[in-house]
């Protein structure tokens, strides 16, 4: 059983390697990705989640997320990342909130 911060790191490492199978392995089958603070649903369920990220990896083969900081509180992990290598050339700051339920990432919020 991985600790919440280990799950977050495993998915970040897989994201940077663009290893879709390793990436999705830490997510729940009923994963839900939302915007914060609006709570608008961006992705729902593993099929949609996997398809979106597989396409993201194909479209952005040089994309990389560097971890700036991480906060862990019980079953919640908050990562602040600097994303580079996008096909459009735009660098971005990302803040992701992960909620771990039954040893998988079940809920994700991306801060606008």
């Amino acid at each position: 059983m991985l600790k919440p911060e280990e799950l977050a790191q495993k998915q970040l490492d897989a994201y940077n390697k663009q290893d879709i199978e390793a990436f999705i392995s830490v997510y729940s089958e009923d994963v839900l990705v939302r915007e914060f603070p609006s709570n608008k649903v961006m992705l729902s369920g593993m099929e949609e989640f996997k398809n979106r990220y597989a396409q993201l990896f194909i479209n952005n083969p040089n994309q990389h997320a560097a971890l700036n900081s991480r906060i862990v509180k019980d079953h919640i992990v908050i990562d602040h990342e600097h994303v580079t290598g996008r096909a459009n050339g735009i660098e971005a700051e990302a803040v992701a909130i992960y909620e771990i339920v039954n040893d998988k990432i079940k809920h994700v919020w991306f801060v606008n």
Side-chain angles (χ1 to χ4, degrees), residues 58-107:
I58 289 167
N59 293 341
N60 299 276
N62 299 312
Q63 185 165 270
H64 182 269
L67 184 64
N68 290 339
S69 62
R70 174 172 287 154
I71 298 169
V72 181
K73 172 76 166 104
D74 298 326
H75 65 284
I76 302 291
V77 178
I78 304 171
D79 281 358
H80 175 208
E81 302 165 355
H82 182 79
V83 182
T84 59
R86 291 182 166 185
N88 64 10
I90 298 172
E91 295 185 11
E93 295 296 316
V95 175
I97 304 167
Y98 305 102
E99 181 182 21
I100 288 70
V101 178
N102 297 324
D103 303 318
K104 295 279 188 176
I105 299 171
K106 182 170 181 164
H107 298 114

Side-chain angles (χ1 to χ4, degrees), residues 15-43:
Y15 177 93
N16 285 331
K17 291 176 187 169
Q18 298 200 352
D19 181 340
I20 192 66
E21 294 304 324
F23 180 72
I24 67 169
S25 73
V26 300
Y27 286 90
S28 172
E29 282 295 319
D30 57 348
V31 61
L32 188 60
V33 180
R34 293 175 278 193
E35 292 179 354
F36 184 89
S38 72
N39 230 20
K40 177 184 172 191
V41 174
M42 299 167 63
L43 299 169

Side-chain angles (χ1 to χ4, degrees), residues 13-14 109:
D13 292 343
W109 291 266

